[in-house]
Amino acid sequence: MKTALRDAVRTLLRPIHLVPLALLSYWVASAYGYLRPALFRTWFFSSDEYVIAAEVIRFSNLDFRQRFFDLPGTPFMLLDSLLWALFYGVERVLGLAPSTTLATFTFQHISALFVLMRATTLVCFLLSVMLLYALVAKLMNSAAAAIASLLLVMSPIYCSYSSFTRTESLSMVLILLAAIWLLRGLERVPRVSAHPPTIRDHVFIAGVLLGVAAGARLHSLAAGLPPLLMLLWLERQPAQSEYPAWILKWSKWTLPPAWAAALFLCWMAKARLAAAPGAQSFVITLALGGLLMSGAALLLYRSRATRALVVRVLSPDAIKLLLGCCAGGVLGNPTALWRYNYFLGSVQMYSRYRDWDRMQWPFLKNAAWYLRRYVQAIAPDKITLVLFCVGAILVLIARDRRVTPFLIGSVLFFFSKPLTLVASPHHVILWLPFFFIVCAYPLAKLVDRIPKHTISGEASAIAVLLAVALGCVLSLTPGPKVARAVAFATERRLQNIGRATAWIKQNTQPQGPVAISYFCLNPDAFYTWLRSLEVPVPLSVFDGREYLMWRGDRSTLRGRTGYACATPPDVVSIKTNLDVQSFGEGTDPYSDPRFERVATFGSGPDEVDLFHFDQR
């Protein structure tokens, strides 16, 4: 044991391993330095953060009647509510929050809550970079791991969505942990496929991690499940012609009630969800898909001619992985069991998230636009695209059983969502590690070909790594630096919103309506939003005015007089886009004669304007 440990330490201390680790440390420290200021931007920065903060406040007060499911986001909310409760407990112990309830403490320190949520996102971002390094080092070598981690930490879209409160980085951490844990299980001898899943079973726990990731972002399953299943399928293992006894026993007792439950869910969806076709389709597809697939597997297994094929495709390990996903899904999103109506409401909301213009385009034009859009998000720099193409060719030539699943998983992204879905670049974030694994493959093969048993050979490998790393650094868009610049730019607008809010409170009468557009969201809009989600809010934070979350719709202001806050960028959504959805409903306060500009704060992209309107 001591000899093995000594050998492991000596291996780790070799320069070929120390240099990539030093580079990883530099990537992580540099990214933290650039993204740290974004933690402390003005707390009412974005509505993306509001809805998560609402549930964190709710959960931290032990109220688990979740209202908002960001498909679904629950693990992130539960984690932050626990951290916030711990923070409150420390403050009480130190005497900094005497005789103050957690609810009161929260609204007294609301900016600290937002810092905590952003810090959770940032920590998960940095952890995901380190986990990708560990995964690639296991799949290939340390040199390739350093380059893959560099590509991830420099990704502009991933950095942007890790500079404020989002759940993608937590999902990525869980997906990468699942992949690493599964690979560890595949390396164990002997394997435990013949035994039921337990907490010591690497395959089952990998599935649990993936299920919890799906609780953070539902499409984690579409990202993580295919490569993990393919790792199992491509693994060399003894041929099996029959299932072990535990699978036969479990299927005998679980399949009939599962099929009955699936049929019941289909009936309920047809009867109760007719007004929500997106949610209805989701439930029926999920229930019928599970019923048909398990039924087909059973029928094929009963035939001797196809039994071995079923066991090969739906192996005992694959079953354990799927069972783990189910367990992790419940563990990561338990509130959906009793708040399913709100969960399905979120599904229905996102089912309408379509690009109505592109729906009219011919298929080939749509597909070409869709491909260009996401390739630009994945590889904004030519070097990334070149590395991926070369890596993909080398993986296919080598028929690498460990890397091929990640290559296929990356390509499957382009088939993971409807073509007419609004093509937002952040949709690709959870697939980025798979693309960058393939990008690092050429360097891995090159370094493997250099003899490293001599000092000169090891020095040559390190020189190649440093040359490639330098080339990438000079060629890549610096994502952390861009995210930092954007954070500073938005902070100027937020300061102007604060000034506009102070003007309203000083120059307008209470009890009047104040319409707040998206780019003018302020503390009062946040408190109003909380109250609409039935989160307890102290009356002391309200000033008597009626704050309206204003999308630009005329009907909201018709017959009323009051004030409105808007910015020039708001016009696209409150006028142009709204008129497309409901003709004549949009409003442009800058040209509408019923709006009179009474105050302006800032200029250019930071401009915030206040209007008095009279639509009686």
Side-chain angles (χ1 to χ4, degrees), residues 82-102 104-106 108-110 112-113 116:
L82 175 61
L83 293 174
W84 183 246
L86 290 174
F87 177 69
Y88 167 71
V90 170
E91 295 287 292
R92 288 294 301 270
V93 170
L94 296 177
L96 301 177
S99 304
T100 302
T101 65
L102 177 56
T104 303
F105 176 84
T106 297
Q108 290 175 346
H109 301 82
I110 193 67
L113 173 61
L116 174 70

Side-chain angles (χ1 to χ4, degrees), residues 493-511:
R493 174 176 57 84
L494 292 167
Q495 295 299 323
N496 289 330
I497 291 174
R499 294 167 60 200
T501 301
W503 190 96
I504 291 171
K505 295 181 184 295
Q506 295 169 5
N507 296 279
T508 68
Q509 294 297 321
Q511 288 84 44

Side-chain angles (χ1 to χ4, degrees), residues 588-604:
D588 180 359
Y590 292 91
S591 60
D592 192 321
R594 289 171 293 187
F595 286 78
E596 177 189 1
R597 189 171 352 192
V598 293
T600 295
F601 304 91
S603 60

Side-chain angles (χ1 to χ4, degrees), residues 42-106:
T42 303
W43 66 267
F44 47 86
F45 160 64
S46 168
S47 62
D48 283 17
E49 297 185 326
Y50 293 4
V51 289
I52 296 177
E55 300 304 336
V56 170
I57 294 171
R58 191 196 309 276
F59 291 164
S60 61
N61 287 281
L62 302 181
D63 179 358
F64 298 104
R65 296 174 296 173
Q66 187 173 347
R67 284 283 301 268
F68 184 82
F69 289 83
D70 192 18
L71 279 185
T74 311
F76 187 92
M77 300 166 185
L78 288 170
L79 173 61
D80 272 340
S81 64
L82 175 61
L83 293 174
W84 183 246
L86 290 174
F87 177 69
Y88 167 71
V90 170
E91 295 287 292
R92 288 294 301 270
V93 170
L94 296 177
L96 301 177
S99 304
T100 302
T101 65
L102 177 56
T104 303
F105 176 84
T106 297

Side-chain angles (χ1 to χ4, degrees), residues 59 66 69 72-79 170 174 208-217 324-336:
F59 291 164
Q66 187 173 347
F69 289 83
T74 311
F76 187 92
M77 300 166 185
L78 288 170
L79 173 61
L170 174 60
L174 293 167
V208 172
L209 290 169
L210 194 55
V212 177
R217 294 298 285 175
C325 287
C326 294
V330 175
L331 183 66
N333 191 26
T335 53

Side-chain angles (χ1 to χ4, degrees), residues 12 24 50 105 110 115 128 150 238 262 269 289 293 307 355 436 465 476 521 538 541 578 598:
L12 186 63
L24 172 67
Y50 293 4
F105 176 84
I110 193 67
V115 172
S128 68
L150 170 62
M293 291 178 65
R307 182 173 300 175
D355 190 326
F436 298 151
L465 166 61
L476 292 171
L521 292 175
V541 303
L578 189 57
V598 293

Side-chain angles (χ1 to χ4, degrees), residues 27 161 277 303 401 449 467 488 510:
W27 311 148
Y161 276 77
S303 170
R401 289 173 174 266
R449 294 180 67 87
F488 282 133

